[in-house]
Tab-separated table of all heavy atoms in Angstrom:
chain	number	residue	atom	x	y	z
A	416	ARG	N	26.053	1.562	-17.588
A	416	ARG	CA	27.419	1.437	-18.097
A	416	ARG	C	27.796	2.677	-18.898
A	416	ARG	O	28.951	2.986	-19.054
A	416	ARG	CB	27.556	0.193	-18.976
A	416	ARG	CG	27.879	-1.020	-18.141
A	416	ARG	CD	28.463	-2.120	-18.991
A	416	ARG	NE	28.429	-3.342	-18.225
A	416	ARG	CZ	27.581	-4.338	-18.443
A	416	ARG	NH1	26.720	-4.266	-19.434
A	416	ARG	NH2	27.599	-5.401	-17.680
B	13	PHE	N	32.141	-10.473	-21.728
B	13	PHE	CA	31.326	-9.691	-22.664
B	13	PHE	C	31.365	-10.404	-23.991
B	13	PHE	O	32.393	-10.953	-24.379
B	13	PHE	CB	31.881	-8.270	-22.825
B	13	PHE	CG	31.498	-7.358	-21.686
B	13	PHE	CD1	32.471	-6.712	-20.932
B	13	PHE	CD2	30.162	-7.154	-21.377
B	13	PHE	CE1	32.112	-5.888	-19.885
B	13	PHE	CE2	29.802	-6.319	-20.332
B	13	PHE	CZ	30.780	-5.689	-19.578
B	15	GLU	N	29.986	-8.939	-26.861
B	15	GLU	CA	29.957	-7.937	-27.929
B	15	GLU	C	31.167	-7.031	-27.766
B	15	GLU	O	31.435	-6.592	-26.645
B	15	GLU	CB	28.678	-7.105	-27.829
B	15	GLU	CG	27.398	-7.885	-28.026
B	15	GLU	CD	27.116	-8.178	-29.498
B	15	GLU	OE1	27.427	-7.302	-30.334
B	15	GLU	OE2	26.599	-9.260	-29.800
B	19	PHE	N	35.021	-11.821	-24.674
B	19	PHE	CA	36.129	-11.147	-24.006
B	19	PHE	C	35.934	-11.289	-22.504
B	19	PHE	O	34.871	-10.970	-21.969
B	19	PHE	CB	36.119	-9.677	-24.461
B	19	PHE	CG	36.885	-8.734	-23.579
B	19	PHE	CD1	38.247	-8.930	-23.320
B	19	PHE	CD2	36.249	-7.623	-23.014
B	19	PHE	CE1	38.939	-8.043	-22.522
B	19	PHE	CE2	36.943	-6.743	-22.210
B	19	PHE	CZ	38.285	-6.948	-21.970
B	21	VAL	N	36.314	-10.081	-18.968
B	21	VAL	CA	36.655	-8.850	-18.242
B	21	VAL	C	37.164	-9.164	-16.851
B	21	VAL	O	38.126	-8.565	-16.387
B	21	VAL	CB	35.431	-7.944	-18.061
B	21	VAL	CG1	35.858	-6.501	-17.993
B	21	VAL	CG2	34.391	-8.184	-19.111
B	40	LYS	N	44.127	0.593	-13.570
B	40	LYS	CA	44.106	1.382	-14.802
B	40	LYS	C	42.695	1.425	-15.384
B	40	LYS	O	41.888	0.521	-15.174
B	40	LYS	CB	45.063	0.770	-15.829
B	40	LYS	CG	46.527	0.938	-15.504
B	40	LYS	CD	47.333	0.853	-16.798
B	40	LYS	CE	48.820	0.844	-16.513
B	40	LYS	NZ	49.284	-0.442	-15.925
B	41	SER	N	42.464	2.462	-16.160
B	41	SER	CA	41.176	2.582	-16.841
B	41	SER	C	40.951	1.380	-17.750
B	41	SER	O	41.851	0.977	-18.484
B	41	SER	CB	41.166	3.877	-17.659
B	41	SER	OG	39.943	3.970	-18.354
B	42	GLY	N	39.771	0.782	-17.622
B	42	GLY	CA	39.446	-0.353	-18.485
B	42	GLY	C	39.845	-1.692	-17.905
B	42	GLY	O	39.656	-2.725	-18.536
B	43	CYS	N	40.338	-1.707	-16.639
B	43	CYS	CA	40.784	-2.982	-16.072
B	43	CYS	C	39.618	-3.791	-15.505
B	43	CYS	O	39.802	-4.948	-15.132
B	43	CYS	CB	41.854	-2.740	-15.012
B	43	CYS	SG	41.198	-1.994	-13.515
B	44	GLY	N	38.416	-3.176	-15.403
B	44	GLY	CA	37.250	-3.941	-14.938
B	44	GLY	C	36.713	-3.529	-13.586
B	44	GLY	O	35.905	-4.248	-12.997
B	45	LYS	N	37.094	-2.351	-13.097
B	45	LYS	CA	36.641	-1.927	-11.759
B	45	LYS	C	35.117	-1.734	-11.725
B	45	LYS	O	34.429	-2.270	-10.846
B	45	LYS	CB	37.334	-0.605	-11.357
B	45	LYS	CG	38.851	-0.681	-11.340
B	45	LYS	CD	39.466	0.620	-10.871
B	45	LYS	CE	39.167	1.802	-11.777
B	45	LYS	NZ	39.760	1.684	-13.121
B	46	SER	N	34.608	-0.969	-12.692
B	46	SER	CA	33.157	-0.717	-12.705
B	46	SER	C	32.396	-2.018	-12.877
B	46	SER	O	31.382	-2.264	-12.208
B	46	SER	CB	32.791	0.240	-13.841
B	46	SER	OG	33.358	1.502	-13.609
B	47	THR	N	32.888	-2.867	-13.774
B	47	THR	CA	32.239	-4.153	-14.011
B	47	THR	C	32.137	-4.956	-12.715
B	47	THR	O	31.089	-5.521	-12.392
B	47	THR	CB	33.033	-4.939	-15.067
B	47	THR	OG1	33.226	-4.098	-16.200
B	47	THR	CG2	32.312	-6.190	-15.474
B	91	GLN	N	29.245	6.072	-11.336
B	91	GLN	CA	30.342	6.799	-11.952
B	91	GLN	C	29.844	7.975	-12.799
B	91	GLN	O	30.447	9.025	-12.818
B	91	GLN	CB	31.159	5.841	-12.829
B	91	GLN	CG	32.415	6.476	-13.388
B	91	GLN	CD	33.328	5.453	-14.052
B	91	GLN	OE1	32.984	4.284	-14.206
B	91	GLN	NE2	34.510	5.883	-14.425
B	169	GLU	N	34.089	5.962	-8.226
B	169	GLU	CA	34.677	7.301	-8.240
B	169	GLU	C	33.730	8.334	-7.616
B	169	GLU	O	33.330	9.288	-8.268
B	169	GLU	CB	35.054	7.695	-9.672
B	169	GLU	CG	36.126	6.756	-10.201
B	169	GLU	CD	36.675	7.230	-11.532
B	169	GLU	OE1	36.934	8.438	-11.631
B	169	GLU	OE2	36.839	6.406	-12.435
B	202	HIS	N	40.617	7.042	-8.575
B	202	HIS	CA	41.869	7.291	-9.301
B	202	HIS	C	42.768	8.232	-8.522
B	202	HIS	O	43.863	8.546	-8.939
B	202	HIS	CB	41.571	7.906	-10.685
B	202	HIS	CG	41.126	6.887	-11.668
B	202	HIS	ND1	40.026	7.059	-12.465
B	202	HIS	CD2	41.623	5.661	-11.991
B	202	HIS	CE1	39.863	5.994	-13.225
B	202	HIS	NE2	40.820	5.123	-12.949
C	501	ATP	N1	28.822	-3.207	-22.297
C	501	ATP	C1	30.077	-3.592	-22.622
C	501	ATP	N2	30.272	-4.402	-23.670
C	501	ATP	C2	31.517	-4.825	-24.009
C	501	ATP	N3	32.615	-4.481	-23.342
C	501	ATP	C3	32.490	-3.667	-22.288
C	501	ATP	C4	31.227	-3.181	-21.870
C	501	ATP	N4	31.397	-2.382	-20.770
C	501	ATP	C5	32.716	-2.377	-20.539
C	501	ATP	N5	33.369	-3.135	-21.412
C	501	ATP	C6	34.786	-3.385	-21.442
C	501	ATP	O1	35.158	-4.015	-20.225
C	501	ATP	C7	36.361	-3.523	-19.747
C	501	ATP	C8	36.187	-3.037	-18.333
C	501	ATP	O2	35.358	-1.937	-18.294
C	501	ATP	P1	35.077	-1.157	-16.952
C	501	ATP	O3	34.051	-0.146	-17.229
C	501	ATP	O4	34.834	-2.132	-15.880
C	501	ATP	O5	36.490	-0.439	-16.680
C	501	ATP	P2	36.898	0.494	-15.477
C	501	ATP	O6	37.979	-0.191	-14.772
C	501	ATP	O7	35.699	0.883	-14.686
C	501	ATP	O8	37.476	1.751	-16.247
C	501	ATP	P3	37.379	3.326	-15.823
C	501	ATP	O9	38.385	3.505	-14.751
C	501	ATP	O10	37.742	4.021	-17.056
C	501	ATP	O11	35.992	3.574	-15.400
C	501	ATP	C9	36.808	-2.446	-20.727
C	501	ATP	O12	37.774	-2.981	-21.552
C	501	ATP	C10	35.576	-2.104	-21.489
C	501	ATP	O13	35.927	-1.783	-22.803
Side-chain angles (χ1 to χ4, degrees):
Chain A
R416 273 199 194 106
Chain B
F13 281 123
E15 297 282 324
F19 161 58
V21 209
K40 289 204 187 72
S41 178
C43 71
K45 302 183 297 295
S46 295
T47 308
Q91 186 170 6
E169 297 188 44
H202 282 132

